[in-house]
Amino acid sequence: MTLIDDNETTAAPVLGKARDNAGLSDLAATHYAAAWTATGMPASPATIDPDVWPEVAQPPSGAKAAVAGKAAGLLFKGAVKRLPLRVEYPDGTVLGTGGAGGPVMVMVRPEAFEARIGDNGLIGLGESFMAGDWEASDLAGVLEVFAASVDTLIPVPLQKLRALYLPRTPRQERNAEQNTRSNISRHYDLSNELFSTFLDSTLSYSSALFPLETGPLSAVAWEVLAEAQQAKIERLLDKAGVGAGTRLLEIGTGWGELALRAAARGAIVYSVTLSSEQQALAQERIAAAGYADQVTVALQDYRAVEGEYDAIVSVEMIEAVGYEYWPIYFQTIDRVLAPGGKVAIQAITMPHGRMLATRNAYTWVHKYIFPGGFLPSVRAIEGVTQQHTTLRVRERMGMGDHYAATLRLWEERFLERSREVGEQGFDAVFQRMWLFYLCYSRAGFQSGYLDVQQIVLDRREVQL
């Protein structure tokens, strides 16, 4: 699954084992059936396999963990007292300023929760939810409150000390060329079946762009998602000038929808991916549509691409590149872009100040979802392209509210089809992890902490 030394403590659970070990026996099936509450939210797992989830099965223990847990508990309680949510403890204590109908965080095992956040900060927040140490009927709502307060949750003096005690990125997860295939595989090669349970018919795993006529984004329905995904793709292809005869490079294939729609315009597409699961299904879909002669899907690192292309499109792939490799990513695009060509990318972005403050951080998302990933700021993209390439940002459009709506639909679909996920062999801890990831992401967009941009670049000379 990963290129990690067995003698080194790894931050990544063996997700393949979570899939392979769960749901394969009568006992596991019974446990799975009981793992979901009447509201559709995942209940606390009755048992946790320590071989699969070593850092979730038991909270940290020992004198050091106890001291850190007590300190973390005091900091947490001091922070949530002023936040617009309710935190309910087993002894009847209620903290926070939230009123009726607002988000509620229910502490089930507060000592375990405090031990985890004391040992691992926000990584512990996610692990404690995976373990069932706390619950929330509106998980995204709770996480949105935290996301909106991220700069003030921890006192400023202590923020400056974070680098001394928080975990750092394992060297095996840096996105050097020899590691990237493994990093991508750990997410995208979980199984095509898993992703198909919560994605729409286009199998698009990125923000949709909902047309105005679909109504308020907070209420858009599942039935319009596929159309909105197609609208996103068509806008990117338009901005890149893709038409009949265009030589198009796609960096990050996904499951082939963009390549299919470009081929339908008459383009000749070369698409690269590092996910063997995605490559196989994308090739199958492309062949079934009759475009096998127009589209090549290569299992290849973007740095190895050769040739010349009239247009380059990359949808939410820069997030997997890694901070120190952004110059190489854009230099590669610059190197293979034909004179007069255009580039259109879709990128999840974060504020520049937060990007600088967290560029060396190792987070729950790195540990469990996207090893090696990091979100750029718009300013960083503009700076890297200006300093390292001849490319310049010419146009951009923010659509973070559209991503919040997209994630809400994925979350609802994932919960609705939870039985199928369990039947595929993904255990209750995995399902809580995946729900936390979807809600964690939605909270970022709803709070405004995250945005997603469609960005157009070219080499057009400035006329004096």
Side-chain angles (χ1 to χ4, degrees), residues 361-397:
Y362 189 64
T363 69
W364 181 89
V365 169
H366 291 127
K367 183 173 182 177
Y368 288 101
I369 306 296
F370 287 115
F374 188 64
L375 304 183
S377 66
V378 171
R379 181 174 166 187
I381 292 173
E382 292 174 336
V384 168
T385 52
Q386 288 174 3
Q387 294 174 29
H388 298 280
T389 75
T390 64
L391 301 171
R392 297 295 179 266
V393 173
R394 303 302 184 187
E395 179 186 339
R396 60 186 180 88
M397 180 187 73

Side-chain angles (χ1 to χ4, degrees), residues 129 207 233 250 263 297 331 421 426:
F129 180 79
S207 179
I233 291 171
E250 181 187 22
V297 180
Q331 286 170 345
V421 177
F426 292 97

Side-chain angles (χ1 to χ4, degrees), residues 1 22 95 150 162 172 224 255 261 266 287 297 307 315 331 342 349 391 406 412 431 459 461:
M1 291 293 294
L95 301 177
V150 68
R162 284 184 300 183
Q172 295 89 343
V224 302
W255 285 275
R261 301 193 75 81
V297 180
V315 181
Q331 286 170 345
K342 289 187 175 183
T349 61
L391 301 171
T406 304
E412 292 170 357
Q431 294 193 39
R459 301 193 188 99
E461 296 290 339

Side-chain angles (χ1 to χ4, degrees), residues 111-358:
E111 295 82 7
F113 169 81
E114 292 171 0
R116 292 182 196 275
I117 63 172
D119 184 64
N120 250 341
L122 290 178
I123 292 177
L125 178 70
E127 289 180 337
S128 61
F129 180 79
M130 293 162 65
D133 296 334
W134 61 278
E135 303 286 356
S137 59
D138 179 9
L139 180 56
V142 169
L143 295 176
E144 181 180 355
V145 172
F146 291 140
S149 310
V150 68
D151 291 325
T152 58
L153 282 175
I154 300 174
V156 173
L158 293 180
Q159 290 184 29
K160 296 178 180 178
L161 300 176
R162 284 184 300 183
L164 299 178
Y165 65 89
L166 290 181
R168 304 298 292 269
T169 303
R171 66 179 183 272
Q172 295 89 343
E173 292 185 15
R174 292 174 61 249
N175 270 327
E177 197 161 351
Q178 65 269 27
N179 297 337
T180 306
R181 175 76 188 278
S182 172
N183 286 345
I184 293 296
S185 174
R186 278 169 48 189
H187 186 84
Y188 292 101
D189 286 348
L190 287 171
S191 85
N192 289 332
E193 291 75 17
L194 170 67
F195 288 98
S196 69
T197 60
F198 68 93
L199 298 181
D200 65 271
S201 58
T202 70
L203 292 178
S204 297
Y205 190 38
S206 52
S207 179
L209 180 60
F210 295 92
L212 290 175
E213 57 268 24
T214 58
L217 290 173
S218 60
V220 291
W222 174 263
E223 289 72 24
V224 302
L225 181 55
E227 177 187 352
Q229 291 289 9
Q230 293 168 353
K232 172 270 300 293
I233 291 171
E234 295 296 345
R235 187 180 189 278
L236 286 166
L237 295 176
D238 287 345
K239 292 298 180 180
V242 176
T246 300
R247 298 169 298 171
L248 172 64
L249 169 65
E250 181 187 22
I251 300 178
T253 306
W255 285 275
E257 184 68 18
L258 188 144
L260 280 167
R261 301 193 75 81
R265 292 183 174 210
I268 307 301
V269 185
Y270 188 79
S271 184
V272 296
T273 180
L274 288 176
S275 167
S276 56
E277 290 264 338
Q278 287 188 329
Q279 181 197 35
L281 185 51
Q283 289 175 327
E284 180 182 320
R285 296 179 71 207
I286 289 162
Y291 295 123
D293 291 340
Q294 286 177 242
V295 181
T296 300
V297 180
L299 199 64
Q300 183 180 38
D301 190 281
Y302 68 91
R303 286 164 282 210
V305 172
E306 298 291 343
E308 185 176 76
Y309 301 90
D310 306 308
I312 301 174
V313 177
S314 187
V315 181
E316 293 180 26
M317 187 274 178
I318 190 174
E319 301 86 349
V321 168
Y323 176 81
E324 61 190 305
Y325 298 100
W326 291 339
I328 297 174
Y329 172 78
F330 283 110
Q331 286 170 345
T332 299
I333 291 173
D334 195 20
R335 172 172 56 81
V336 300
L337 184 66
K342 289 187 175 183
V343 180
I345 68 172
Q346 185 164 305
I348 302 171
T349 61
M350 66 191 303
H352 190 69
R354 289 298 304 167
M355 187 207 77
L356 294 176
T358 59

